Amino acid sequence: MISARQIYLGNWVTDLIQYILDHDASRTVLIICSTRDAFLKQLLAITRAHSSDTAESHPILTKTIGLLSDSNRIKVVYCPTLENLRAYLSVLPLSGDLMQGPITEEQKTRKPLMAILDLVALHMQTSEFSAQGLSRTFANAVEAASREGMNLVLCECQDAANHNNNERGEMLWYTNVPLLNSSVRRGERAWLGRSVPVNRVAQRWFELNESDHPAPDTMHI
């Protein structure tokens, strides 16, 4: 069975968690490209935003018991730097050793899942926010998932604590980046030399389904 490699377009961290629970894989590795504290702050911000309007409350906020029951099949890993992420991907253990816990017969027929949150955003403040740098990390992730026979999904989520932060979220897929590492900017919103949208770089490895999610205009950061 061929492993699926997709880009999931979701607004918030809770959207990705809901996707993982709905996917119901036999085993899941969730790699969060931030510190644990930063991740918890995102969850807290979303909870506070919905606490005054239960009619629009995110489903995940009412499924705590279900989340806990699935926790023995979901391994959470925090990689706050690009070096941390690449190092973890290079030594990812065999999927059978990742976690322990009972799985149903139906789940046994489903491939394990690797989900990576905010991989692109992790490159933003580095010299590798380029087609060259992103390609290297995309390839590392695909190689690790293929080695372990896992489906792979990437997601860039908005900053729930700062809605004006344009360096997070879906827009990063449509941001132009230079072809090579350590390229020089021309002003604040453009690069010297050729540039390419991040989604075009990712399309070499990943499927980006925009049929129900119109793409915004390509932008420069």
Side-chain angles (χ1 to χ4, degrees):
M1 184 184 300
I2 299 176
S3 298
R5 302 193 294 265
Q6 296 182 326
I7 293 172
Y8 173 69
L9 298 178
N11 290 327
W12 310 111
V13 169
T14 44
D15 293 328
L16 178 60
I17 295 176
Q18 187 65 57
Y19 171 89
I20 291 172
L21 293 178
D22 291 342
H23 190 275
D24 200 26
S26 58
R27 296 286 188 265
T28 298
V29 178
L30 171 58
I31 302 175
I32 298 170
C33 297
S34 73
T35 63
R36 181 176 182 274
D37 286 347
F39 177 68
L40 293 178
K41 285 179 181 178
Q42 290 296 309
L43 291 179
L44 180 60
I46 295 171
T47 302
R48 286 176 173 171
H50 291 298
S51 61
S52 60
D53 191 351
T54 56
E56 296 183 3
S57 179
H58 195 289
I60 195 64
L61 301 179
T62 61
K63 290 189 176 181
T64 305
I65 295 177
L67 178 60
L68 292 176
S69 67
D70 279 330
S71 63
N72 57 6
R73 295 189 291 107
I74 301 175
K75 180 179 179 65
V76 180
V77 180
Y78 297 95
C79 295
T81 70
L82 190 52
E83 292 75 16
N84 292 155
L85 175 61
R86 288 174 175 169
Y88 180 77
L89 292 173
S90 69
V91 299
L92 184 68
L94 295 175
S95 54
D97 297 331
L98 286 173
M99 61 214 81
Q100 301 295 326
I103 59 176
T104 66
E105 290 300 319
E106 182 179 1
Q107 288 166 343
K108 288 180 181 179
T109 65
R110 299 173 182 169
K111 296 178 72 67
L113 173 69
M114 179 192 298
I116 306 181
L117 173 65
D118 291 337
L119 178 151
V120 177
L122 192 64
H123 291 71
M124 282 287 296
Q125 302 303 320
T126 75
S127 62
E128 296 196 57
F129 189 50
S130 65
Q132 180 183 11
L134 288 165
S135 292
R136 178 184 173 188
T137 311
F138 289 150
N140 290 162
V142 169
E143 180 183 359
S146 298
R147 186 173 66 239
E148 304 304 325
M150 308 176 81
N151 289 330
L152 175 60
V153 61
L154 306 184
C155 182
E156 297 294 318
C157 290
Q158 294 181 32
D159 186 348
N162 180 8
H163 293 185
N164 295 320
N165 185 353
N166 64 356
E167 296 186 353
R168 294 281 301 276
E170 178 191 343
M171 287 299 298
L172 289 183
W173 294 114
Y174 308 99
T175 299
N176 280 329
V177 294
L179 296 182
L180 302 177
N181 294 343
S182 302
S183 296
V184 178
R185 287 183 184 271
R186 181 195 297 120
E188 295 185 357
R189 302 184 65 83
W191 298 95
L192 290 174
R194 294 179 58 193
S195 62
V196 61
V198 172
N199 64 337
R200 190 175 301 171
V201 179
Q203 283 172 353
R204 177 180 176 184
W205 295 276
F206 297 90
E207 176 185 353
L208 176 61
N209 187 354
E210 298 174 334
S211 58
D212 299 321
H213 205 116
D217 294 334
T218 300
M219 65 177 291
H220 298 269
I221 288 183

